[in-house]
Each structure stands twice: as structure tokens, then as C-alpha cells.
Amino acid sequence: MKFAYRFSNLLGAVYRQGNLSFSKDGNAVISPVGNRISVFDLKNNTSETLPISTVKNITCVGLSPDGNIAIVVDEDGAAVLVSLITRAILHHFHFHKPVSSIRFSPDGRKFVVTKENVALMYHAPGKQREFNAFVLDKSYYGPYDETTCIDWTDDSKCFVVGSKDMSTWVFGAERWANLIYYSLGGHKDVIVGCFFEKDSLDLYTVSQDGTLCVWESDTELDGLVLTKKPDKPKPPKEGEEEEEEEEEEDRVEGQEGEVIRGKAEAQKDKGETKNVRFRQMSKHFFNKEGDFNNLTAATYHKQTHILFTGFASGIFHLHELPEFNLIHSLSISDQRIASVSINSSGDWIGFGCSGMGQLLVWEWQSESYVFKQQGHFNNMSSLAYSPDGQYIATGGDDGKVKVWNTNSGLCFVTFTEHTSSITKVTFTSSGFVIVSASLDGTVRAFDLHRYRNFRTFTSPRPAQFSSLAVDVSGELVSAGAQDSFEIFLWSMQTGRLLEVLGGHEGPVSCLCFSPVHSILASVSWDRTVRLWDMLDSWQVKETLPLTSDGLAVTYRPDGQELAVATLNGEVSFWNPQTATQTGSVSGRHDLETGRKETDKITAKQSAKGKSFTSLCYSADGESVLAGGQSKFVCIYNVKEQMLMKKFEISCNLSFDAMEEFLDRRKMTEFGSLALVDEGAGDGEGVNISLPGVRKGDMSSRHFKPEIRVSSLRFSPTGRSWAATTTEGLLVYSLDGSLVFDPYDLDMDVTPASIRKQLRLQEWAPAIVLAFRLNEKALKQEVLEKVPHEQIPVVCSSLPEIYVEKLLGFVAASLEKSGHLQFYMTWAQSLLMLHGQKLKNRSGAILPTLQALQKSIQRHFDNLSKLCDFNMYNIRYAVALSKQRGVKRTAEEEEEEEDEEMSEKMSVASIEEAELML
């Protein structure tokens, strides 16, 4: 169970490329992030990354109408059929060519895929188990260039395909007698979107130059007539053989399915049916004033008749069709809008900007953001867990510090004060202050209460800080410079520079404070680790000699051991009290670095120069995580000094240095084909006119980022660890599916014997037996059957070894259970009755206590919000009732006065009448 970690979530990136999709209910956005799929729940404000991955970056996602399955296609055309209910891959398929778009029919029975200049219609996978889930029905030819977009009619009878050859093609999904294909022109640029009107064959087409064409059909959907099927063939006679050969020439059948050629003659009965015809009703232009450049994305909501368009300048428009009335216009980014999507109700619009990695959801009626997230623009360089494990702070090469919530997976604050790359981030022991070091020559402290930069530390001479550490008290801040070889010490309270520590003869690569003593460990390229005593005039206490340049150093959580990574690929372990080496691990061969496309030597030879650049102890201190310029993260057992497990953080071949051997199919006498830039322009919708260049910017170049692990951290709760990689921030947590992990198992320990103890109301023996069998469901059943008033008695009679196990189970259950008071009573009783014994082993049970604190804090935050909300509602109701009471009393007084006046008037009238009589 100790190393049963699995991929849990992907943070730090929300969108890369491809099309966005909304779920069936419209409350979740499905976004492709690299070679993974993330689902963002807009109602509950949470994110989830599906435990699936493709071989390369995802380019398009097709969602079924019922929202149960999705077809995910990568850059090479490799597709996977994914169940969004079970989060599992159901089928693999390869289209052998890049796919531009994929779309299910509204009835869910077919789906169309566009690749190159062909539209392929497949039978949609059914609910039964099938040997081949992708069965080709028909192939549609017509366009002369690549196809770009698809749309279906509401009754799934026809579909329309847009192309880069500036034409739009309408095809029949069935063999209609009056509509086999129809080609529409009218544009002078690439077709970006084509949309059918609701319950009609009327069309809207949008091109990249900002032109909208409105097409009207002379036939309704009910007017489509099926081709009459020929009668069963009779035995041929001598005179009929030639006629049959002619009929066979009109039907072209292949192994993959039927092929309908654009040049084929329409099979129709001229006397009975009239061909469907389209005519252009109107033509509109988006960029009349010339303010906008290329139109890059478009979508249409049929129920509300609203067209949504996005441009390369980051502007989007809302138009009402067919009148083309502008409803709304807004600039949401300074980057190209790569994808636009709208939910089923038409209220929320999703935008994806691939240049900045932005994902936005905009409610156009209230003109407000529903969801706004952005990952780091460049690589992430560092991460740090908060002391309770609830938050993760990340620093990137874009100079931003972002804080992520581990429960929701979303970023809730971004600090942009740095002007250059972040090299290190860390939390103070209080958990409310983040300190970051940067190459801009500053170290900044950020307050998580007011979300502001309240301290800025600088050096007397400009220096680029490459390392950072904060002591346990949070008072001392230290940073190492990579150009002056010095370590700077500041006071957190005053912000003043206390001391400059000199002595290293090379750049300081890493700093780390001892968790229990005021000792600072620094490692440098001069092959030494120096221990500085903060209490004794900042003198060097010990100097540890290394066999190679030092790259990373970290303390064990109890402060009794030091781990150092060096340039020769070794991880050495030291006793900081005696300054002696206790062991070492050679991890060069465990890295298994890949061969880059530009490398002239093999991966085995290049691995000799690779090493671990990031180290981290596990929460219990028994193992150490190590990562570097490789796709693997290694876990070593410190005591045994052996490799326990290797995690492959990515299988994405869109990154460089992923494969050990180069693909021989790409090797030619002129070199690798992978290094040849095709020069078709950048494809980003930007036209820069250069002499002799017809399209695009020929100076732009595409490069593959290299896979690497820049930072590793173990959660203080011990239940997860995180790594900043080229792919993003990957979080691995304990695998909940591993249920059978028994402890002190015996023949008598069975579920039946445990339930027998429960029937006899022997609560303590039942708990002991359940924890010996160690099945989660059984432990929960036993624990929740204990009467509330018996909890203190049971806790007092438990053996000491099971107290820690029970406390860990309570901490894990409290995080997700709704029985708050019940589990809080268990935690309180265990801590009150066994507090002194637990205190003696505080180092070992610290992760459990921090997990308990994290669960309690989470419930406290949720309940406090709910209580505040209820309190304000009650106050409002009371104030409203008082106001109504005042109004009622005023009305009653007016009524009484009116009654008195009327009585007086009636008495006066009676007296007048009597006088008259």
C-alpha cells in the first residue's frame, strides 16, 4: 500500500489545443489538455482529469448526444473510444491521417469524421459489446482541399462539410433521390464554420476573412425522398448481362464501405422528384471597419438563433441571425481564440486560447465570467505544498506565482509582481505566507489573507537567485545567488538584510533548513555541502565533501538525515550530526533518458551526463523521490538503498526525448525528417506578407518541448505527491482500489467472525479484527455500528498499535463522510485518551495528524460559509418581517382613523336628519 500511488489530477494547465465541449446538462466543460482530457464542473467549481491518455496531443473530441461516450483523436489520427461514466477506454482505432473534426448525429446513430478532403460516416458504437466499434458506412468525396468543419440537421438526414478550398458541401446521410450532394461557393477564404438552421435545410457559412453567407433551401426536411430500392435480381438472361454491368459501374463498393463520388450521377426520378436547390439570400461582413483580423472560431445555437464568433485578436462577437444584428462584442484576451463552444441552454459560452493556455466560460446575458482559469504560459519550475496539504503553490518561467486548491484542482490566486522566471517557491510554517525567488533579483513574500506582496527582499548588488529556503519559525529567509556564489539572509519581520554568507566557490544550487534545528544546508557546484549554524553567528558548522557537483539537498522530516543529489547521478545520504555518509544510491541507469531528435549520440551514451535535479523525502522519511531530465520519477528506499518503484509521468510522443531509439522510418540520407519544417505557415491565422511568400510567416518554427521533471514534493499528509513537469503539475495519490492489504492476518480473521463480534456487541475486538483484515468497507461498517456513547470506552480499551491505524482511518473517512459529529467524537476521544503516547511518537504520526487537520479545516470552511449564509438570510427575514409589521400597524392606524371619521360623519348626518325632521 505504501507505493500504491496512481495518477490523480493534472493541475497547472487547463487548455492546450483542440475543440471544447459542454456536457449534456451544460454544467461541465470538457477540455483537451495535451494528451489528456480534463472535465471542469462549473456548478461545483471542481476539476477532474480522466485517467486516460493518448500517444500524442489531442486535436479533436467528439461527444455523443447522450453524453455517455466520447471519441478522442490525437495529432496522428489515433482515436480512442472513452466512456465518460466509467472513465475507461473501450476501443482503440487509427484513422491513419490527421483528423480535423468529428461530430455525432443528433440521434446518436452515426458520426462523421473529416480527414484530408474526405468525410467518413461511421456507425456509432452501440451499447452492446462489439468486436469492431467503428464500422464505416459511407465515404463522401467532393472538396479538393482539407475539410474543416461539420454540422448535422436536427433529424440526422443530412450533414454539411466546410473545406479549405472555400467551398461548402451538403451531403445526404441516406440515399435521397433529390439530394445526394450540393456544392456551395460564395467565399474567398477558408470555411471556419457551417451551420444548419433549426429543423430546416437553410444554411449559414462563415469564412476566415470574416464573411457570413446565408443560404436558403427550396425544400423542407420532410421533402427529402428516399431512392427506391431495386427489386430482387432475377436470373440473368443473355440480353440482360450488359445492362447489369452498366448498373454495377454506377455503384462503387470497397472493403471499407460505400463510396459516393462527387462526380457520380444522381440517382433520381426526374418525373416525380425535384432536386434540392440552394440560393444565397444575403452576405454579411464582420470586419467592416477593418478593426478585426482573421476569424478563427465560430459556433451557432439553433434554439436562440445566435452566432458566436472568435477572432485572432481575442475579440468575440454575438450576432442574431438571419438579420445579423450585433448583440454583444467583447475582447477577452490578447491572444487568438482557438475554440468556441456553447452549452445546451445557450447561456454559457466556452472559449479556449491556446497561445496563453486560457479557458474562459462567459455568461453573455449577465455579462459576467462563470469560469476563468489560465495555466502557466511557460514551463513550471517549482512547487510547494502548504503545511496542511490543502494548497499547492507553483512558480513558472512566465514570472507568475499561482496557488492551487488540491481539493478542487483550480487556481484561486495569481501573483504577477515578478518580472522574470521564478526559480523557487515555498510556504512558511504558518501556511499563510508564500515566499518566491526569481531571476529578476528579488525575493518576494505574499500574504494569503489579503492576497498582496507585503515584503520584497533584495541584495546590495544585483543578483539572480536560484535557490530559496525559509526556517521553521518563518523569521529567516535565505536565498542563494547563481552568479556571485553567495547566500543572503533576511528577516521576515523587518525585511532587512541580516548577513551575506560567503565561502562557496561555485553557484549555490539548493538550500534547505533543518525542520528541528536552526541549521541551513547549502549545496553548490564546488562539490561541497555546507551546514550553517544560524544561532552561532552564522558560522559554517560542517563541510561535507561530495564526489561531484551538488544539485539538490533536502532534510528528512525529523531532521536526522540529509539527502544530496550530485551531477554523476548519485543520491548520497548523510548524518548531519556526525557529518558522515550513511549510504548512497546510483540512479543514472534508473533515469532512462530518451534520445532527442537533434542528438548525434544514442540515449545510452547521453544518459551518462544526466542526473537527478530534484529530491524529496516521503512524509514518513523511509523513502526518497528523485526526478530529473527524464520521463521517470524514482522512489528509493533509504534503509535498503534500492529502487522501490518508477513512475512514468508521461507517454506523450509530442514531447522530445521520449523514445530510447529514433524512428528509422523518418531517417533519410539528408537526416531526420522530424527536423524538417514543412513551412506551411504557423496556422495561427496570422498573415505576414513577405516577398515571394504566398501564405503564412515562413520565419516561424515549431519545436518539441523536452520532457523533464523540474520539482518534486510530497504532501505533508503522506497521501499524495506532486511533480512539476513539461506536461503540467501532476498529482499522484494513494490508489483507493487496492483494498486487500491485511495486517497480522490469521485463519480466524474473517468477515463472518467480525460480524459475530458485532452481534455480541464486543466493539473493541471487532475493531481489532477489522483492522487486521484491513478492508475499508468492513472497517467503516464496524466503526459506524459502535453506539455514540460507547466511543470513549472503546477508545480506552484499544491496543496502542491500533490507535494510530484507527486515527488514520478516521482522518481519511472524515474527509468524505457526512457523519461529522460521529467521526469528530472518535478523533477527540483518541487524542484525549492516548495523547501522551502519541506525542512521544509525533514524528511518525505527523502525516496522520496533518491529514486530520486538513479534513477538519475543510469541513470548517464549508460549514462556516453555510452558517454565514443562513445567518444573513435569517437576519434579512427578520428585518423584512419587522418592516412589514411597521407597514401593517401604519395601515391599521389609518383604517381606524377612517372608521372614526366615518362614524363621526354618520352620527353628524343622523343628527342633521333628526333636526330636519
Side-chain angles (χ1 to χ4, degrees):
M1 190 74 176
K2 186 177 293 184
F3 300 107
Y5 291 93
R6 62 180 177 86
F7 173 76
S8 171
N9 206 351
L10 172 63
L11 283 66
V14 291
Y15 175 76
R16 292 276 170 78
Q17 64 176 11
N19 63 302
L20 298 174
S21 306
F22 275 92
S23 59
K24 183 184 178 183
D25 58 4
N27 295 332
V29 178
I30 299 168
S31 171
V33 185
N35 68 332
R36 299 182 185 271
I37 293 289
S38 292
V39 181
F40 297 94
D41 190 338
L42 305 177
K43 288 287 187 182
N44 301 317
N45 209 33
T46 58
S47 75
E48 177 193 9
T49 304
L50 304 186
I52 62 163
S53 59
T54 54
V55 179
K56 286 197 173 182
N57 287 336
I58 295 169
T59 55
C60 54
V61 178
L63 198 64
S64 65
D66 57 6
N68 293 337
I69 60 173
I71 299 173
V72 180
V73 189
D74 68 7
E75 292 172 344
D76 285 347
V80 288
L81 179 66
V82 181
S83 169
L84 297 179
I85 300 174
T86 62
R87 300 326 199 217
I89 293 178
L90 305 178
H91 185 66
H92 288 268
F93 190 77
H94 209 298
F95 292 106
H96 302 293
K97 294 288 183 181
V99 172
S100 58
S101 57
I102 183 167
R103 192 76 177 267
F104 275 86
S105 62
D107 60 6
R109 297 174 60 188
K110 304 281 180 70
F111 68 88
V112 172
V113 173
T114 58
K115 67 172 187 178
E116 294 185 325
N117 65 333
V118 191
L120 306 173
M121 186 166 69
Y122 288 83
H123 292 284
K127 295 180 180 179
Q128 304 88 4
R129 291 187 177 181
E130 299 162 317
F131 177 73
N132 183 12
F134 288 48
V135 179
L136 182 64
D137 185 23
K138 296 182 181 69
S139 299
Y140 295 87
Y141 293 82
Y144 292 96
D145 205 342
E146 291 182 25
T147 46
T148 55
C149 51
I150 313 166
D151 191 40
W152 285 84
T153 54
D154 289 336
D155 57 0
S156 305
K157 289 183 177 180
C158 302
F159 65 93
V160 61
V161 174
S163 171
K164 285 186 177 180
D165 65 359
M166 302 173 285
S167 65
T168 308
W169 293 74
V170 182
F171 294 106
E174 304 290 339
R175 284 183 172 273
W176 305 116
N178 51 347
L179 177 62
I180 293 182
Y181 69 90
Y182 201 98
S183 176
L184 303 172
H187 286 282
K188 297 180 180 179
D189 210 337
V190 175
I191 305 296
V192 175
C194 47
F195 314 101
F196 279 109
E197 186 56 270
K198 183 182 180 183
D199 299 325
S200 172
L201 279 173
D202 295 347
L203 264 176
Y204 303 108
T205 56
V206 184
S207 62
Q208 192 171 328
D209 59 356
T211 305
L212 168 72
C213 289
V214 181
W215 305 89
E216 186 185 43
S217 170
D218 63 351
T219 309
E220 296 296 326
L221 286 172
D222 298 337
L224 295 175
V225 181
L226 277 171
T227 305
K228 294 180 182 179
K229 295 182 179 179
D231 297 332
K232 292 182 180 180
K234 297 176 182 179
K237 298 178 182 179
E238 293 180 0
E240 294 178 355
E241 288 181 1
E242 295 179 359
E243 295 179 4
E244 285 186 6
E245 288 178 2
E246 291 177 1
E247 289 178 2
E248 285 178 2
E249 288 177 3
D250 292 338
R251 292 193 302 269
V252 183
E253 295 180 357
Q255 294 180 353
E256 293 185 345
E258 297 182 57
V259 178
I260 300 179
R261 301 255 174 205
K263 296 181 180 179
E265 293 184 1
Q267 297 179 3
K268 57 185 181 294
D269 188 358
K270 294 181 181 178
E272 296 180 3
T273 59
K274 183 181 178 183
N275 284 347
V276 175
R277 295 192 178 275
F278 289 87
R279 69 188 184 96
Q280 184 175 312
M281 292 293 295
S282 58
K283 197 171 187 178
H284 306 282
F285 301 94
F286 289 92
N287 51 352
K288 292 178 182 177
E289 297 83 11
D291 295 336
F292 314 110
N293 45 9
N294 292 342
L295 189 149
T296 54
T299 187
Y300 179 66
H301 192 251
K302 297 182 180 180
Q303 284 74 24
T304 56
H305 307 285
I306 295 178
L307 176 70
F308 304 87
T309 51
F311 292 83
S313 59
I315 296 174
F316 78 89
H317 281 177
L318 274 70
H319 284 88
E320 186 180 11
L321 298 183
E323 292 83 9
F324 198 68
N325 298 326
L326 181 64
I327 300 174
H328 192 61
S329 177
L330 184 72
S331 177
I332 58 168
S333 174
D334 56 354
Q335 294 289 324
R336 169 181 179 266
I337 298 176
S339 177
V340 178
S341 181
I342 186 166
N343 70 344
S344 53
S345 64
D347 298 327
W348 293 349
I349 320 163
F351 298 97
C353 301
S354 56
M356 295 291 287
Q358 290 176 322
L359 176 60
L360 312 168
V361 179
W362 174 263
E363 188 175 34
W364 64 273
Q365 290 176 337
S366 64
E367 299 186 10
S368 60
Y369 284 109
V370 177
F371 184 84
K372 188 176 183 181
Q373 289 283 301
Q374 179 179 347
H376 284 282
F377 176 61
N378 290 324
N379 292 332
M380 281 183 283
S381 56
S382 178
L383 80 102
Y385 266 100
S386 63
D388 59 359
Q390 284 207 87
Y391 307 122
I392 297 178
T394 58
D397 291 344
D398 55 359
K400 294 179 181 178
V401 176
K402 289 179 174 286
V403 188
W404 307 81
N405 189 314
T406 55
N407 295 320
S408 67
L410 301 178
C411 172
F412 63 91
V413 63
T414 302
F415 300 107
T416 59
E417 281 77 6
H418 283 293
T419 58
S420 187
S421 300
I422 309 292
T423 54
K424 199 78 172 176
V425 293
T426 185
F427 275 90
T428 60
S429 55
S430 66
F432 299 115
V433 176
I434 298 173
V435 186
S436 62
S438 171
L439 294 180
D440 63 2
T442 63
V443 173
R444 297 177 183 268
F446 303 97
D447 181 9
L448 284 185
H449 283 306
R450 295 181 178 87
Y451 300 130
R452 64 189 179 94
N453 174 210
F454 70 95
R455 285 281 185 275
T456 302
F457 309 103
T458 57
S459 56
R461 295 181 303 277
Q464 291 186 315
F465 299 116
S466 58
S467 53
L468 176 72
V470 180
D471 75 334
V472 187
S473 65
E475 169 58 22
L476 290 176
V477 179
S478 64
Q482 66 179 15
D483 43 9
S484 63
F485 313 155
E486 295 171 330
I487 300 170
F488 299 88
L489 277 173
W490 297 276
S491 169
M492 178 70 80
Q493 285 190 352
T494 63
R496 295 181 59 184
L497 181 66
L498 299 177
E499 187 67 24
V500 179
L501 308 180
H504 279 297
E505 298 173 0
V508 180
S509 52
C510 190
L511 297 173
C512 185
F513 270 101
S514 169
V516 290
H517 304 294
S518 293
I519 295 176
L520 174 67
S522 64
V523 65
S524 170
W525 292 7
D526 62 2
R527 302 191 177 191
T528 61
V529 175
R530 295 175 186 262
L531 304 180
W532 311 80
D533 194 342
M534 297 291 103
L535 299 179
D536 187 12
S537 302
W538 301 298
Q539 298 297 319
V540 178
K541 184 183 177 183
E542 295 288 352
T543 301
L544 311 179
L546 302 175
T547 57
S548 184
D549 297 6
L551 299 178
V553 62
T554 183
Y555 267 99
R556 202 167 67 184
D558 60 359
Q560 303 302 313
E561 191 175 66
L562 202 66
V564 183
T566 52
L567 191 63
N568 58 2
E570 284 190 358
V571 179
S572 54
F573 304 99
W574 300 76
N575 187 328
Q577 276 74 32
T578 61
T580 56
Q581 185 173 348
T582 57
S584 67
V585 173
S586 179
R588 174 172 290 165
H589 299 292
D590 300 328
L591 268 173
E592 288 189 32
T593 55
R595 182 173 179 178
K596 292 193 288 186
E597 292 174 344
T598 55
D599 283 350
K600 302 296 183 184
I601 56 175
T602 61
K604 188 175 181 181
Q605 292 293 327
S606 65
K608 294 181 179 179
K610 304 295 182 182
S611 55
F612 294 117
T613 57
S614 181
L615 283 180
C616 175
Y617 271 98
S618 60
D620 56 6
E622 293 183 3
S623 53
V624 65
L625 273 77
Q629 289 186 334
S630 166
K631 63 179 179 178
F632 290 104
V633 171
C634 305
I635 293 188
Y636 294 98
N637 186 292
V638 178
K639 187 177 180 181
E640 302 293 335
Q641 296 178 13
M642 61 180 292
L643 179 69
M644 299 297 293
K645 186 161 183 170
K646 282 168 67 173
F647 293 94
E648 186 178 6
I649 58 171
S650 179
C651 59
N652 190 357
L653 296 183
S654 296
F655 294 134
D656 207 355
M658 285 294 296
E659 296 181 290
E660 187 178 356
F661 302 103
L662 291 183
D663 191 351
R664 294 296 175 189
R665 292 171 294 183
K666 294 182 179 179
M667 298 302 293
T668 65
E669 56 181 322
F670 307 106
S672 175
L673 288 175
L675 300 178
V676 179
D677 199 331
E678 295 180 357
D682 54 6
E684 301 296 313
V686 179
N687 268 322
I688 301 178
S689 56
L690 295 174
V693 178
R694 295 178 59 192
K695 179 183 177 184
D697 179 11
M698 300 300 286
S699 66
S700 65
R701 290 293 177 266
H702 300 280
F703 68 96
K704 294 171 73 172
E706 184 181 352
I707 188 71
R708 64 189 295 265
V709 178
S710 55
S711 183
L712 285 167
R713 285 294 177 269
F714 224 99
S715 172
T717 62
R719 299 194 60 81
S720 62
W721 58 272
T724 53
T725 68
T726 315
E727 196 168 25
L729 175 60
L730 304 177
V731 180
Y732 287 79
S733 59
L734 280 175
D735 192 351
S737 62
L738 189 63
V739 290
F740 189 65
D741 184 22
Y743 172 78
D744 194 17
L745 195 62
D746 201 356
M747 290 292 291
D748 301 329
V749 182
T750 61
S753 62
I754 295 170
R755 292 189 173 95
K756 182 181 178 182
Q757 295 289 337
L758 284 178
R759 286 194 297 272
L760 297 174
Q761 297 186 356
E762 297 288 341
W763 311 118
I767 289 174
V768 171
L769 288 175
F771 274 87
R772 287 176 65 184
L773 193 60
N774 208 12
E775 285 192 10
K776 183 181 176 182
L778 200 57
K779 289 189 287 186
Q780 186 173 349
E781 178 187 346
V782 171
L783 218 60
E784 292 183 357
K785 282 194 176 181
V786 177
H788 186 265
E789 62 275 2
Q790 292 289 324
I791 291 176
V793 181
V794 174
C795 288
S796 62
S797 59
L798 276 177
E800 187 180 342
I801 192 170
Y802 291 100
V803 171
E804 295 178 23
K805 295 181 178 295
L806 180 56
L807 191 63
F809 181 75
V810 168
S813 301
L814 186 61
E815 189 172 0
K816 298 179 180 178
S817 176
H819 305 297
L820 294 186
Q821 186 184 1
F822 183 76
Y823 282 107
M824 289 286 285
T825 308
W826 274 107
Q828 185 182 12
S829 301
L830 288 169
L831 293 173
M832 292 292 289
L833 294 169
H834 303 275
Q836 191 58 43
K837 295 177 182 176
L838 294 172
K839 189 177 180 181
N840 297 334
R841 301 191 66 250
S842 59
I845 66 160
L846 185 61
T848 304
L849 294 176
Q850 286 173 328
L852 184 64
Q853 181 190 0
K854 177 185 175 184
S855 303
I856 294 172
Q857 185 65 38
R858 182 183 175 192
H859 286 298
F860 174 77
D861 293 340
N862 294 337
L863 282 175
S864 60
K865 289 178 184 176
L866 185 63
C867 291
D868 289 344
F869 180 73
N870 291 338
M871 187 173 66
Y872 296 142
N873 279 344
I874 292 169
R875 285 181 183 174
Y876 175 73
V878 170
L880 201 62
S881 63
K882 286 181 179 178
Q883 190 176 2
R884 286 182 177 177
V886 171
K887 285 184 178 179
R888 284 179 181 174
T889 54
E891 290 174 358
E892 288 172 0
E893 288 177 0
E894 289 179 1
E895 289 176 359
E896 288 177 0
E897 290 177 0
D898 292 342
E899 287 177 1
E900 288 177 1
M901 288 293 291
S902 60
E903 286 177 2
K904 288 178 181 179
M905 289 177 67
S906 61
V907 169
S909 61
I910 291 169
E911 289 176 353
E912 287 178 2
E914 288 176 351
L915 286 171
M916 288 179 69
L917 288 169

